[in-house]
């Protein structure tokens, strides 16, 4: 069964350093999401792509976070500089056509600890 | 911002018992989805119910939706230890129907 692939699975970084996460969505899925999940809470959307275009990045802290999906396939989420409060799980998800009610599939997530 | 609220926040039951989790939301929706998350893992899609549906079944799962009360419930029948996980409801966003807004989740513990 096709899966959303994410790496790295775990990352420990010092504050003020840069960190990047990579996501490869399910083949053919035009919509890609990055969510952040703080321990004990539900995931919150950071950015949503439709192919290579950003659909929604209203909750992305743009002073330190950036996301790209250059060829409309895989995507990278970058944080620079990392802050202690960025410690969380970063989840990538993809969907064929969510507006039609298609399922949104999530990857296993990337755990970030900022020390 | 989080749209949904799950109730209870935590639930502990014995294997074989039924587990019921509730979700309330604030704005009109097109559909509502339930996800499961095992500790430290990603989210697994369980079921989607559309706003014009009132009940949906999938195996041991039964989901109801009451749009007049803006609430949904997830029933897991004959629970198993493997059902131990956090369960989240997620609704779409009127301004962006492809966006999921999650609640805080219910943590279910099924004791063997």
């Amino acid at each position: 069964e096709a899966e959303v692939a994410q790496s790295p699975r775990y990352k420990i970084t010092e504050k003020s350093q840069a960190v990047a996460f990579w996501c490869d969505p399910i083949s053919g899925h035009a919509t890609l999401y990055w969510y952040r999940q703080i321990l004990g809470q539900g995931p919150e959307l950071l950015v949503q792509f439709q192919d290579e275009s950003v659909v929604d990045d209203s909750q992305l802290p743009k002073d330190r976070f950036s996301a790209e999906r250059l060829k409309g396939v895989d995507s990278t989420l970058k944080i620079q500089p990392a802050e202690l409060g960025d410690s969380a799980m970063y989840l990538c998800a993809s969907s064929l056509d969510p507006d039609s009610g298609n399922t949104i599939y999530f990857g296993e997530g990337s755990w970030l600890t900022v020390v | 911002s989080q749209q949904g609220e799950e109730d209870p926040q935590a639930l502990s039951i014995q294997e074989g018992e039924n587990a019921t989790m509730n979700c309330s939301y604030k704005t009109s929706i097109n559909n509502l989805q339930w996800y499961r998350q095992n500790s430290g893992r990603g989210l697994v899609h369980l079921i989607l119910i559309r706003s014009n549906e009132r009940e949906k079944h999938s195996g041991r799962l039964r989901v109801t939706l009451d749009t007049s009360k803006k609430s949904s419930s997830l029933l897991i029948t004959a629970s198993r230890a493997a059902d131990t996980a956090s369960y989240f409801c997620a609704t779409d966003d009127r301004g962006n129907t492809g966006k999921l807004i999650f609640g805080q989740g219910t943590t279910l513990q099924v004791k063997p």
Side-chain angles (χ1 to χ4, degrees):
Chain A
E1 186 175 301
E3 295 180 345
V4 177
Q6 288 189 246
S7 67
R9 187 84 174 87
Y10 303 96
K11 179 72 177 179
I12 299 174
T13 192
E14 293 183 346
K15 64 179 181 179
S16 79
Q17 295 298 304
V19 63
F21 302 106
W22 175 80
C23 171
D24 190 13
I26 294 172
S27 178
H29 282 195
T31 306
L32 183 147
Y33 308 83
W34 284 102
Y35 278 81
R36 176 170 61 184
Q37 185 178 22
I38 295 169
L39 197 62
Q41 298 183 17
E44 291 191 311
L45 181 69
L46 291 175
V47 62
Q48 176 184 348
F49 289 93
Q50 179 68 26
D51 298 309
E52 64 275 11
S53 300
V54 173
V55 173
D56 187 337
D57 64 356
S58 56
Q59 298 296 106
L60 187 72
K62 298 181 188 62
D63 57 334
R64 297 184 301 106
F65 285 65
S66 64
E68 59 183 17
R69 193 184 184 199
L70 292 176
K71 297 182 180 179
V73 182
D74 59 338
S75 175
T76 302
L77 177 70
K78 296 178 182 177
I79 307 173
Q80 182 173 20
E83 295 181 354
L84 295 177
D86 296 332
S87 295
M89 182 156 70
Y90 291 84
L91 290 156
C92 181
S94 72
S95 181
L96 191 62
D97 182 8
D99 291 322
S100 298
N102 289 130
T103 299
I104 297 175
Y105 296 91
F106 283 80
E108 286 292 335
S110 293
W111 278 104
L112 173 65
T113 301
V114 182
V115 296
Chain B
S1 61
Q2 306 217 309
Q3 147 105 294
E5 291 186 6
E6 278 97 340
D7 170 56
Q9 288 190 337
L11 181 60
S12 181
I13 59 174
Q14 293 294 137
E15 209 166 23
E17 294 180 339
N18 295 342
T20 300
M21 289 158 265
N22 303 296
C23 167
S24 60
Y25 56 92
K26 298 172 185 172
T27 61
S28 298
I29 60 172
N30 293 309
N31 58 64
L32 184 145
Q33 306 187 51
W34 284 90
Y35 283 83
R36 184 187 77 228
Q37 184 177 39
N38 289 68
S39 182
R41 307 294 296 273
L43 282 83
V44 175
H45 184 262
L46 295 176
I47 201 163
L48 179 152
I49 186 165
R50 300 185 190 279
S51 59
N52 61 354
E53 297 175 310
R54 291 297 166 257
E55 187 171 313
K56 206 161 182 181
H57 297 255
S58 177
R60 294 184 295 113
L61 306 180
R62 172 178 166 250
V63 168
T64 62
L65 178 64
D66 186 335
T67 53
S68 66
K69 295 181 179 178
K70 291 186 171 59
S71 66
S72 174
S73 67
L74 170 67
L75 168 68
I76 304 174
T77 60
S79 63
R80 304 167 182 168
D83 295 328
T84 294
S86 292
Y87 292 81
F88 293 90
C89 70
T91 57
D92 56 5
D93 181 295
R94 276 191 300 182
N96 174 5
T97 56
K99 171 182 176 179
L100 287 180
I101 303 175
F102 287 85
Q104 299 276 18
T106 292
T107 300
L108 172 66
Q109 181 185 30
V110 181
K111 299 175 184 176

